[in-house]
Amino acid sequence: MFKNLLIADSGKGHVEEMVCMLRDLPGFRAARINLLHVVPEQGSVDSEEHWGAAASLMAQAVGRMGLDATEVNSIIRNGDAKQTVLKVAEELNADLIVMGSRGLGRLQSILANSTSQYVFQLSTRPMLLVRDDLYVRHVNRVMVTVDGTGVGDDALKLACEMVRDIPGGLLTGVHVARQDLAPSRGANNKRDELLNAAVQRARSFGVEMKPMHITDADVGRGVCKAAKDTNADLVVIASQDRRPLVARGLVDLDKLLGGSVSDYIRVHAPAPVMLVREPERS
């Protein structure tokens, strides 16, 4: 399922624990591990000290994760962490980026120059974000969002592929509506149709998905409530990539400062969040 992981490790948080959990899953066991540490731009004297410390930190991380050092592609780069993670992900053609996060809100993230928030908004590749304040558990219960617009098809497929290979794995598909819709005459309401279609698609991947509906004026809050109610170990969400090509190198301020559902879930979900970026549907 995943063949080329980029682990952006800062030596803090629960990223390494998450990697160990993922390595227990069949879809991750054969994946190549690329471990990245970025040395901040410093003067020449400080830079040498930072590079030595980075090499030591990387070796310790490999040991803590129980990996064979000869099978890990350890990468140390000098520069701005935000841009470097994105650049290395492109160079390696990584199919998943794994990063830690302090769980800062939108404005806090901008003021704190948050690397994970920047990558979360700008990467076009799947990304797994592990907050520092979460207790990382073995992945058994996966929750995926279902919105019915066509966005989320890849996220549902990915979630099914993960759960299918987990003995006793459980998948819940949650649809959040801002208000309940009355069913049309002689027909199911729209939410039931959306969830039924998602259940059928999950079955096409060999997975029985439990449908769940939440009504909440705040979609992000509804998703987080569903994740808490289902005791999810991992939340898989989709987000449209609606940025024009000329703006790919800029932070999407309207998402950072506005009501971005994915950003709310990033900060408040009770489990690690896997974001699957999907093209905007016309």
Side-chain angles (χ1 to χ4, degrees), residues 96-117:
L96 180 66
I97 301 171
V98 184
M99 292 188 70
S101 168
R102 289 170 290 173
L104 300 177
R106 290 184 289 273
L107 183 56
Q108 287 177 302
S109 293
I110 295 173
L111 296 176
N113 201 22
S114 169
T115 298
S116 61
Q117 164 65 352

Side-chain angles (χ1 to χ4, degrees), residues 62-236:
V62 170
R64 285 193 297 267
M65 288 186 282
L67 301 173
D68 184 341
T70 62
E71 297 179 355
V72 176
N73 179 27
S74 296
I75 306 167
I76 301 176
R77 292 286 180 88
N78 181 272
D80 177 75
K82 302 185 299 297
Q83 295 292 345
T84 302
V85 171
L86 292 171
K87 182 179 179 181
V88 173
E90 291 295 322
E91 291 174 0
L92 298 174
N93 193 25
D95 49 23
L96 180 66
I97 301 171
V98 184
M99 292 188 70
S101 168
R102 289 170 290 173
L104 300 177
R106 290 184 289 273
L107 183 56
Q108 287 177 302
S109 293
I110 295 173
L111 296 176
N113 201 22
S114 169
T115 298
S116 61
Q117 164 65 352
Y118 186 94
V119 176
F120 189 78
Q121 290 295 338
L122 292 180
S123 177
T124 59
R125 300 173 183 277
M127 179 179 182
L128 176 57
L129 204 61
V130 186
R131 287 207 321 273
D132 293 349
D133 61 342
L134 291 176
Y135 176 73
V136 178
R137 301 176 300 203
H138 286 279
V139 178
N140 181 66
R141 295 173 294 273
V142 177
M143 193 189 85
V144 62
T145 54
V146 176
D147 72 356
T149 65
V151 176
D153 287 348
D154 291 344
L156 177 58
K157 179 176 183 291
L158 186 151
C160 287
E161 290 174 345
M162 289 185 65
V163 171
R164 186 176 58 201
D165 292 333
I166 301 174
L170 302 173
L171 177 63
T172 300
V174 61
H175 173 68
V176 180
R178 290 186 170 88
Q179 61 182 10
D180 280 321
L181 300 176
S184 58
R185 182 175 299 176
N188 292 329
N189 58 33
K190 184 177 180 180
R191 78 173 191 218
D192 291 334
E193 293 174 356
L194 294 175
L195 287 170
N196 288 339
V199 168
Q200 292 303 318
R201 188 158 191 268
R203 285 176 181 162
S204 73
F205 296 118
V207 174
E208 287 295 326
M209 184 180 77
K210 178 183 178 181
M212 182 178 186
H213 172 73
I214 293 284
T215 300
D216 197 307
D218 186 312
V219 174
R221 183 176 62 194
V223 170
C224 292
K225 180 180 185 302
K228 182 178 179 180
D229 290 346
T230 59
N231 200 22
D233 304 315
L234 178 68
V235 177
V236 182

Side-chain angles (χ1 to χ4, degrees), residues 255-274:
K255 279 191 175 183
L256 289 173
L257 297 174
S260 167
V261 172
S262 62
D263 195 69
Y264 183 95
I265 297 170
R266 170 190 71 84
V267 176
H268 297 285
V273 175
M274 182 176 290

